[in-house]
Amino acid sequence: ETRTFLNTVLSSHDNPGMTENAAYAIGTAIQKEPDPIQNASDVKKLTELAEQTSKANEKSIYIDAMGNSGSTAFIPALVENIASTDPVIREKAIFAMRFMNDVRVVGTFEKSMNDTDVNIQFAVVKAIRYQQNQELYAELLTNCANKAKNSELKNLCSQTIAN
């Protein structure tokens, strides 16, 4: 019943605050729900809503919800958003992958460290700090700590290696 209610709220854009709360709650429910059929339905719904909206603030809400879920089912949708021309959407999509432990995330983070926008690079390193297996990122972080042009980014990479 709760998921049905949340999906109803998510579909009605009358109250942006309610929509945001419903999206976050669905993301959290996906993380905790053992029912793969319900989760698949919710993954499809959030992915479609993110694809359909042209409003960056709405897209950000759906991307955050995808990230909160930790579901690797969202990786294709997030990778698509990383290709956005909007740097805020790219940054959100990168950070949304922080709870997703998957080889596709490693490749996406490696590629995104070459983004010309330093905020994207910061988002990658911040997301890596949440990863369970940080050893996968040792080379990427070492390269960042040694070669990054931004001193704050270099420091963050060094701190992440040290932790």
Side-chain angles (χ1 to χ4, degrees), residues 11 15 51 83 87 90 107 117 128 146 153 156:
S11 297
N15 183 330
E51 287 173 355
R90 290 199 322 267
D117 185 336
I128 288 171
N146 293 330
L153 181 60
L156 184 60

Side-chain angles (χ1 to χ4, degrees), residues 20-108:
E20 181 175 5
N21 288 336
Y24 293 153
I26 287 173
T28 302
I30 290 169
Q31 184 181 52
K32 297 177 188 274
E33 177 66 52
D35 180 0
I37 294 170
Q38 179 64 55
N39 283 347
S41 173
D42 290 340
V43 166
K44 182 178 181 201
K45 178 85 168 177
L46 282 174
T47 301
E48 287 173 352
L49 288 168
E51 287 173 355
Q52 292 168 358
T53 187
S54 59
K55 298 177 183 175
N57 61 333
E58 282 183 17
K59 191 176 287 278
S60 291
I61 290 167
Y62 302 133
I63 289 171
D64 286 344
M66 290 176 191
N68 288 344
S69 77
S71 173
T72 57
F74 285 118
I75 290 174
L78 293 170
V79 168
E80 185 176 311
N81 281 290
I82 290 167
S84 171
T85 57
D86 183 335
V88 173
I89 296 299
R90 290 199 322 267
E91 185 177 347
K92 287 267 189 187
I94 287 288
F95 193 67
M97 292 181 156
R98 70 194 176 279
F99 299 129
M100 299 174 189
N101 295 297
D102 188 285
V103 69
R104 294 171 294 175
V105 173
V106 176
T108 300

Side-chain angles (χ1 to χ4, degrees), residues 3-18:
R3 296 281 273 272
T4 303
F5 171 74
L6 291 171
N7 274 297
T8 301
V9 172
L10 195 59
S11 297
S12 66
H13 296 280
D14 297 342
N15 183 330
M18 289 289 288

